[in-house]
Amino acid sequence: MVQTIIPNNKGTYKQPNIFGYYGNFGGAYIPEMLHRNVEELRDNYLKIMYDEAFQKEFQNLLHDYAGRPTPLFFAERLSNQFNTKIYLKREDLNHTGAHKINNAIGQVLLALRLGKKRIIAETGAGQHGVATATVCALKGLECIVYMGVKDMERQQPNVARMRMLGAEVRPATSGSQTLKDATNEAIRDWINNPNDTHYVIGSVVGPHPYPDMVARFQSVISEEIKKQLKEKTGSELPNYVMACVGGGSNAAGAFYHFLDDLSVQLVAVEAAGCGINSGMSAATTQLGKPGVLHGSKSLVMQTADGQVVEPHSISAGLDYPGIGPLHAHLYESGRAKFLSATDKEAVEAAFNLTKMEGIIPALESSHALAALNQMRFKKDDVVVICLSGRGDKDMSTYMKYMNEL
Amino acid sequence: MNRLEELFTRKKSNVLNVFCTAGFPQLNSTWEVMKALQDNGADIIELGMPYSDPLADGPVIQASNTKALQNGMTMQLLFEQLRDFRKEIYVPVILMGNINPVLQFGFENFCKQAASLPVDGIILPDLPEYEFENEYGAIIKRYGLDFIFLITPETSEERIKKLDTLSTGFLYVVSSSSTTGNKKDFTEVEKYLQRLQNMQLKNSLIVGFGIKDKSTFQSACKYANGAVIGTAYIKALENATDIQSATKAFLSSIIN
Ligand SMILES: Cc1ncc(COP(=O)(O)O)c(C=O)c1O
């Protein structure tokens, strides 16, 4: 299962080179204080992940605990609306309500095998924090979750869930008080606790090997899509796979097993916030330039002077000024198409899905749904949308819009 | 012989390196801070290039970064402020910061400007050794700048030797695995420093992180050539009405 590593290449879509590069993006831009921890992870992650006993435990938990495989649902009324065939990959039906649990289970099991006793995580929407706190409760591990103060306010139900699960939620008070700042605090915590702590990063960001490791843990999404499509349509290949991108983990998972199937058009949807040119946006590929953020070289929203810009999105999970290096590479190489949806479009798409299919989606996932309006499909096209999470956490935001729409 | 070499040839112990964020406490105080540090006994000045997301720094230095950026500090402005500074500042000066603003400025352009002033060395903690060897080291060398690597108690012996080979100017010894400004038990630090002393490294050793007063400075200097003070000095400047007198009072509490 472990793929051979070819030095001095530029990496493939599925696998970065030994220094963690996908094309021009990736690497491990970390201070020496993190070197040993990151090196330990880099030297062990593939060995551990593809160890038979590990795989058995991981697959069992995905099945019996997270509830996988998640359904691939043919959304008939939505399909009629867009005059094509739309399938929803129901990551929202996972335990804890989003795809984040796939990665949290994987990384916590991996941390246990590395002998770590203490787990830290950052969270934006709170879904990754809840998922990590959940697996820590399951395994009896100490769990500390960093969360921006602004996000603690707009995702209150998830803060309560994390606390009930026994995690300590530490507010990140610097900068924009959102995901970027929570990530800074988590990295600082790791620097200060170099021996007993594993940092469970929640997306395909961070220094090598995180982007690759998280993509592999999330790749179960596309593995299942292939099987399910084959059963339902006779072909394992759709015409389109669409997913929202914050850091890019649900998109990486939904794209992964299609990366080398060039007939499959991959569509990544970023958060345009109040509009790409409004000064309040989080559409990184549109607004960003190559730079280094949180340990890897990627596209980063920044000033001409290299200061990281504070992004804006209505959805806490997409409110991040970077994207994972794999996605920067997919963008630069043209392998994936990058679109964006505004706050308003996302909310409208959420109400539309609820009305048409009886599914209340997370605000993040609603961005992928909103991009349907920007696509031109043929009647027989098969379109898979990764419905990364459910909308329970976003009810207070949705309620505000109830009367306006 | 460059300034750092000259310094370590002349002075082998108690070398005092003081860190301050450029553009802090005021936008135009950079020169005044440097002058005050030199006049009151600093052997090396480390100028922090402010960054929005300084990962390895504790709250005090982070806040000084934020303040400097609010004051309007930019890389371009820093180079303008430093033009002609050698008319008054003769001690070695090192620029320290995160890699991203340097990349945006243009790595080569940055080295060129730094060398033309000239400053003596650079510290970019999040430029890893692989990238240095692969790409950036050659540019740094071309402009005759020293590049200083960090080591920590977690750095393996083999890696310490490698980083010592790559590092020029000195080796920056992080006293404990921590962000700046965190206190740790100093006896642990002493053991670590003793271990380093026995390794017979090529570079002089400057200890950083957690040095805050006379006693921690002296402990660090027992086993190393000197130490860096950052957080404690920033704190001293935070509440100062007069940079000269605050710096004088602070430095005399360390070296006298
Ligand atoms: C439901 C949901 N979807 C998407 C995201 C965005 O993250 P990523 O781009 O890593 O999938 C989040 C993040 O919190 C989320 O909770």
Side-chain angles (χ1 to χ4, degrees), chain A residues 98-100 125 127 202-203 244-250 317-318 362 364-365 388-389:
Chain A
H99 68 292
K100 298 284 182 187
Q127 289 302 123
S203 193
C244 68
V245 174
S249 66
N250 86 90
L318 306 185
E364 290 77 17
S365 327
S388 57

Side-chain angles (χ1 to χ4, degrees), chain A residues 19 21 27-33 35-36 174 180-181 184-185 187-188 191-192 194-195 289-294 297 302 304-308, chain B residues 50-57 62 69 74-75 99-101 103-104 125-126 128 130-131 136 150 152 154-155 159 163 177-179 182 184 209:
Chain A
F19 300 108
Y21 277 88
Y29 291 80
I30 47 163
E32 185 61 24
M33 290 80 93
H35 180 83
R36 207 191 56 171
S174 62
K180 161 178 88 79
D181 313 286
N184 289 345
E185 289 309 325
I187 292 174
R188 287 185 189 115
I191 288 174
N192 285 308
N195 296 315
K289 284 177 294 178
V292 170
L293 177 65
H294 297 145
K297 190 184 265 182
Q302 53 189 313
D305 198 40
Q307 309 299 339
V308 182
Chain B
Y51 182 50
S52 54
D53 298 78
L55 281 185
D57 287 309
Q62 275 176 60
L69 292 174
T74 65
M75 191 81 80
I99 181 79
N100 195 52
L103 290 178
Q104 298 317 310
D126 59 349
Y130 158 69
E131 303 291 344
Y136 300 106
L150 275 62
T152 82
E154 254 65 56
T155 311
R159 190 170 161 81
L163 295 177
S177 275
S178 70
T179 47
N182 247 9
K184 291 269 160 96
F209 290 40

Side-chain angles (χ1 to χ4, degrees), chain A residues 372-392:
Chain A
L372 283 170
N373 289 311
Q374 302 168 36
M375 303 290 294
R376 291 241 176 288
F377 299 120
K378 293 201 212 75
K379 183 131 187 53
D380 290 333
D381 281 346
V382 172
V383 181
V384 176
I385 298 181
C386 185
L387 199 69
S388 57
R390 67 177 89 125
D392 307 25

